[in-house]
Amino acid sequence: MKIIGIDPGSHRVGYAILSFPEGLRRNPTLLGYGTIEVAPKTPSPDNLLQIRRELQAILTEHKPEWAAVEELFFVQNTTTGMKVSESRGVILLTLGENQIPMVSLTATQIKKGISAKGNATKKEVRAAIQMILGFKDLKGHDDSWDAIACAFVGRSLVGSTPSQIH
């Protein structure tokens, strides 16, 4: 099974594609990961169109069967929160257009699922990913690492908690 993990952001969207052996929820292969980068001053809707185009290209290339998307957490900066929610909306729309079912995960669920600690730091999440996938060095931005963790934890939920599947 292939699953895409997505960590929404206003100008940087992390993504990762994991492939799991048939019927298993462990021993994944990382097929690709990175970030969709939008210049901070890019006006709407141009920024959202760029996210949609690049995500569509990733979906077309990898053809995931499921998606795991991080939910938004309430932020004090409402302007940033609104921009991230717009980005997440475009992500959900693009997944829907491609008929890719999804699970929605909170940051706490992802951290706990990857590191056994709901309050894990970015460094601890990265270390857990490296251990699980056997990487010595994980390059890139932490948004892409979060997406790897999201995909890994999302796979564990597929088929086990229908209330979280959308």
Side-chain angles (χ1 to χ4, degrees):
M1 167 184 287
K2 284 187 199 175
I3 186 166
I4 184 170
I6 303 174
D7 179 33
S10 60
H11 296 291
R12 185 180 294 123
V13 175
Y15 70 89
I17 308 286
L18 293 180
S19 179
F20 290 81
E22 187 70 33
L24 296 180
R25 295 179 185 193
R26 55 180 166 38
N27 302 325
T29 300
L30 181 62
L31 301 178
Y33 73 104
T35 54
I36 297 170
E37 302 273 347
V38 179
K41 301 280 186 191
T42 305
S44 286
D46 295 342
N47 60 333
L48 302 174
L49 290 168
Q50 181 182 340
I51 291 169
R52 185 177 182 283
R53 276 192 304 271
E54 292 189 35
L55 179 57
Q56 182 60 54
I58 293 163
L59 297 176
T60 299
E61 178 182 350
H62 292 284
K63 297 174 181 41
E65 298 161 75
W66 280 89
V69 182
E70 185 173 335
E71 289 183 5
L72 302 180
F73 56 94
F74 187 79
V75 294
Q76 290 181 338
N77 184 335
T78 55
T79 301
T80 300
M82 290 301 294
K83 289 181 180 184
V84 175
S85 67
E86 289 173 354
S87 171
R88 189 171 191 276
V90 166
I91 291 164
L92 298 181
L93 175 66
T94 306
L95 292 171
E97 288 173 335
N98 286 273
Q99 299 180 351
I100 299 172
M102 63 163 274
V103 293
S104 192
L105 303 163
T106 66
T108 301
Q109 285 176 304
I110 295 167
K111 290 175 184 180
K112 189 170 185 177
I114 198 77
S115 71
K117 287 175 58 179
N119 62 350
T121 65
K122 295 280 188 187
K123 186 176 180 179
E124 290 169 325
V125 167
R126 182 178 181 199
I129 292 167
Q130 288 176 304
M131 184 182 74
I132 289 167
L133 296 176
F135 287 171
K136 291 184 180 183
D137 187 30
L138 193 57
K139 297 180 181 356
H141 196 275
D142 58 6
D143 290 324
S144 60
W145 311 333
D146 290 346
I148 295 170
C150 187
F152 184 80
V153 175
R155 173 60 185 110
S156 70
L157 294 177
V158 170
S160 64
T161 56
S163 64
Q164 291 186 336
I165 298 173
H166 302 286

